[in-house]
Amino acid sequence: MKHKLTVLVAISAALTLAGCSQTTQSHTQSSQSKTSKVAKNSSDNSNTSTASSKNKDTYTKLSASKMDYKTTASAIAVYAAQKYGDTWEIAVNAAKQGNLGVAFRSKDATGITSDNDGYVYEVSGTGKSSNARYMLAGDGADKQVTIFVKQRNLGTTSLKDIVAYLNQKNDADLVKQLAEKTQLNVKLAGDEDTQKTTNNSSASVIPSSLQGTWYTADTGNGNIDTLTVTDNKINDEAGFSMNVKAKTSGSSTSDGYMKQTTINGISFYSFTNMGQTPGQGSTYLAPHTEDGQSVIVSANSNGRTNAVYWKSEALAKKNSNKQFSDLKY
């Protein structure tokens, strides 16, 4: 009898130990499973955070040293709309639905008084005359931009600072979208600066060596700009248009005159607005030869090359942003 009781007690103890072992193992597995889920969630959160951080760093950026004329106009408009609102904001909002038109005006026609002798650029998104205006001075990223509302000077800043501001605001995509819809040298409704040319324009003034349609890809982004020269008119798609007169006087602010000058051994023709002297604000063009091809060299008053124009788009693309040893840059 004692032997049977001893066996029963041993069996009961064994069963109790087995149950405890299974309970402990079950708790351990449950704990491991929870730990694994927490680790996975932590890893997922880390990946999400990393992806979010990467996305913040992938915004498109603008470069002040690599901006064509249309992108420059768009950047100035977006900057002025954000900084000053008013008619600038109206112009930009309208341009989002249509086009950003930029007209070239004279100071006399706009009533603006400024030491700057260049054009007044009038910006509109409606195709009508606007009070959103700016003027430019200098070259490249350090180009100075003076912003106006009608005749009121709102301030001057550099293109470099404008670009830094827009990049900080992550507005590069908006600037580029508007640039694609920007039209330069437009005539705005109500622009009283549009006048009929006088009979002097019928005379041939510009030498035949400059005449024709020319192309350049020296825009910094590979786009093609066209220069059209007739016997008495220049039209540069990049932002310059002039009726060239035989004398240094004219009835329209779109009139200009031509003079010949030699800079760095190259014979240039300067084209200057009426009432001004050749220099800053003038366009300098020279018939020239590069790689056995007739070209037009466009330069500033110091003879630094802005662009080389070719007789075909194919040649322009082939020589995009190429620098030639006989030209000054």
Side-chain angles (χ1 to χ4, degrees), residues 1-30:
M1 183 67 177
K2 288 181 179 179
H3 178 70
K4 289 181 178 180
L5 288 173
T6 301
V7 171
L8 289 172
V9 170
I11 292 172
S12 176
L15 291 173
T16 300
L17 288 171
C20 289
S21 175
Q22 289 178 352
T23 301
T24 302
Q25 184 176 359
S26 176
H27 281 306
T28 301
Q29 290 176 343
S30 175

Side-chain angles (χ1 to χ4, degrees), residues 118-134:
Y119 283 113
V120 175
Y121 299 87
E122 188 167 295
V123 178
S124 174
T126 62
K128 298 180 180 179
S129 187
S130 165
N131 290 328
R133 298 162 175 169
Y134 67 90

Side-chain angles (χ1 to χ4, degrees), residues 27-75:
H27 281 306
T28 301
Q29 290 176 343
S30 175
S31 175
Q32 288 176 342
S33 177
K34 290 179 180 178
T35 302
S36 177
K37 287 180 180 179
V38 170
K40 183 178 180 182
N41 289 338
S42 176
S43 176
D44 289 345
N45 289 338
S46 175
N47 290 337
T48 301
S49 175
T50 301
S52 175
S53 175
K54 287 181 179 179
N55 286 337
K56 289 180 180 178
D57 294 334
T58 56
Y59 287 116
T60 303
K61 299 292 185 183
L62 297 168
S63 172
S65 61
K66 298 179 180 179
M67 297 183 76
D68 59 22
Y69 298 99
K70 293 181 179 180
T71 306
T72 298
S74 174

Side-chain angles (χ1 to χ4, degrees), residues 224-301:
I224 298 291
D225 278 344
T226 303
L227 170 68
T228 304
V229 183
T230 66
D231 55 359
N232 52 32
K233 186 169 184 178
I234 296 175
N235 187 54
D236 180 358
E237 187 182 50
F240 181 83
S241 182
M242 177 180 287
N243 299 311
V244 183
K245 306 294 183 179
K247 298 180 179 180
T248 58
S249 62
S251 60
S252 171
T253 54
S254 62
D255 291 345
Y257 65 95
M258 180 186 73
K259 282 192 173 183
Q260 192 170 12
T261 183
T262 299
I263 309 175
N264 302 326
I266 297 177
S267 181
F268 281 93
Y269 293 91
S270 66
F271 296 88
T272 308
N273 291 328
M274 292 298 181
Q276 299 178 355
T277 56
Q280 188 178 40
S282 300
T283 290
Y284 287 78
L285 302 177
H288 199 57
T289 302
E290 293 293 356
D291 288 347
Q293 299 287 334
S294 295
V295 299
I296 297 295
V297 178
S298 172
N300 62 19
S301 59

Side-chain angles (χ1 to χ4, degrees), residues 84-101:
Y84 305 113
D86 198 78
T87 189
W88 281 99
E89 189 172 7
I90 293 171
V92 168
N93 286 337
K96 291 176 183 177
Q97 309 302 320
N99 296 309
L100 188 71

